[in-house]
Amino acid sequence: MKMITRVALVLAAALALVLCACWPIGSCYDTDTVRVYNDTSREVFYQYYYKARVGSGAPLAYTPEGGAVIPPGGSVEFDYTDREHNGSYYVVEKLLLVDAASHRLLRRMDSAEYYAALVHQEPVVDTTSDPGTEITRRYYDLRLTEDFFLQTGQ
Amino acid sequence: MNPLKRLTGVLAAALCCLGITAPLSATSPVVPPEYRDYSAYIYFVNTSSLDLFVEAVMDEEECGKVNGSFAPEVFCVEAGDAVRTTLMVIGEDNKASCVPHLLIKSLRFYDLATGAVAGEIAVTEGIFTEAVEFAQGAYDHPYKLTITDDLLGGAE
């Protein structure tokens, strides 16, 4: 086999490996995930809102996300969301935590409060979920307790 | 006819026209007709003084018949906020089809501060009063509901 053919084959194999590792599109990126643990005896409804900004334009409308009940002892995960994706910039504007039984607001975190609670944490880092890749998954934890609800946002 | 009588007659005619058209324009939705056949997401704007927890009471229908009730869909919309939701108004074509679909029967509003019911309204196309035009002139959310203190007060 000619040298040039051999090089071409090696390059093609390397490209195929990269494409396979990155499929589906986006999985090549590091991820930042928020894990919310409900350490109370209440059923807690959570909802977060993000705003998307396209380029330097004005933020687009709020979109409520989540919108589910976390049972006592349960947990949910969602994207930390402070990043650019396909030309849009996404940021969490607020997180609302509501007592699912009484429909009363337990805690409201605005964007600054939300990120302040997470950004100083040393995240749990997982580099083993995607073997053969350089992908790092970082997890930030938010633990819901009665004390947490009393702190602000009453 | 003297000018005063003529003016009075014109004014009376104008008032009469207003009397007929005003209620119509107040209740007629301005959802573009071309969108009424299609299902579309609802855009909520809360101009009331209350932060709200909203519960959408829904039925599942199939072939024009109710299959049963469905778990309510819930979300929050604070005072002054405008939110795009994943709640849908089902278009006429989809309603008529035999594909199971969810029809929103009513919206129940709770005051987030107290948990008390702030109001409840039945959902008809007439409650959606304004089309929302998004980027590139597309009506992504032709069904817009403005929640006012009057709407909540009138619903109580």
Side-chain angles (χ1 to χ4, degrees):
Chain A
M1 196 184 290
K2 280 184 181 175
M3 185 65 177
I4 193 159
T5 312
R6 202 174 296 165
V7 170
L9 279 174
V10 169
L11 283 176
L15 183 64
L17 197 66
V18 168
L19 285 175
C20 287
C22 294
W23 189 264
I25 300 296
S27 64
C28 275
Y29 299 106
D30 291 352
T31 61
D32 293 285
T33 302
V34 178
R35 294 187 293 204
V36 182
Y37 294 93
N38 182 5
D39 293 340
T40 73
S41 56
R42 306 169 189 256
E43 290 194 319
V44 178
F45 175 83
Y46 84 102
Q47 189 143 61
Y48 67 99
Y49 300 73
Y50 71 77
K51 266 186 179 173
R53 186 186 294 274
V54 180
S56 57
L60 303 176
Y62 276 127
T63 304
E65 297 284 337
V69 169
I70 316 172
S75 66
V76 291
E77 291 184 2
F78 56 88
D79 196 283
Y80 183 88
T81 314
D82 180 13
R83 61 178 178 150
E84 190 173 336
H85 183 63
N86 287 343
S88 297
Y89 189 78
Y90 296 86
V91 63
V92 169
E93 284 290 309
K94 60 187 172 192
L95 171 66
L96 300 180
L97 299 159
V98 178
D99 185 313
S102 71
H103 308 114
R104 280 188 61 238
L105 184 69
L106 295 167
R107 173 95 188 244
R108 178 190 194 283
M109 299 178 91
D110 63 19
S111 193
E113 205 179 355
Y114 168 82
Y115 285 111
L118 302 173
V119 78
H120 298 302
Q121 286 185 21
E122 192 63 45
V124 176
V125 176
D126 173 13
T127 54
T128 61
S129 294
D130 306 280
T133 72
E134 298 288 314
I135 296 170
T136 299
R137 296 178 184 271
R138 289 178 290 270
Y139 293 94
Y140 298 82
D141 293 345
L142 205 56
R143 301 208 81 100
L144 308 184
T145 62
E146 294 300 334
D147 279 349
F148 176 83
F149 295 143
L150 289 173
Q151 283 168 23
T152 57
Q154 288 302 290
Chain B
M1 191 187 283
N2 79 40
L4 187 63
K5 276 189 177 172
R6 196 178 297 166
L7 185 63
T8 312
V10 169
L11 282 175
L15 283 173
C16 181
C17 283
L18 279 176
I20 292 167
T21 58
L24 281 179
S25 58
T27 55
S28 299
V30 289
V31 175
E34 65 268 31
Y35 286 95
R36 290 183 195 156
D37 285 344
Y38 301 100
S39 303
Y41 292 122
I42 305 174
Y43 185 77
F44 286 85
V45 179
N46 183 5
T47 63
S48 81
S49 54
L50 300 178
D51 296 329
L52 296 168
F53 182 88
V54 185
E55 197 173 62
V57 179
M58 299 189 287
D59 276 346
E60 188 185 64
E61 291 195 359
E62 193 174 348
C63 305
K65 287 183 180 174
V66 176
N67 269 348
S69 58
F70 199 80
E73 192 132 336
V74 293
F75 64 96
C76 302
V77 55
E78 292 188 297
D81 269 0
V83 298
R84 295 184 294 175
T85 66
T86 51
L87 285 174
M88 288 190 119
V89 170
I90 302 296
E92 294 304 319
D93 281 0
N94 288 328
K95 258 192 240 178
S97 79
C98 283
V99 177
H101 50 264
L102 299 175
L103 282 184
I104 307 169
K105 310 307 281 184
S106 63
L107 294 166
R108 190 175 298 142
F109 303 98
Y110 297 89
D111 180 348
L112 262 180
T114 64
V117 175
E120 182 167 0
I121 57 171
V123 172
T124 61
E125 197 179 81
I127 68 170
F128 302 104
T129 54
E130 194 178 334
V132 181
E133 190 172 350
F134 273 81
Q136 284 88 46
Y139 287 95
D140 287 344
H141 302 270
Y143 290 91
K144 173 182 170 183
L145 177 63
T146 304
I147 307 163
T148 61
D149 283 323
D150 280 351
L151 181 85
L152 296 174
E156 277 178 323

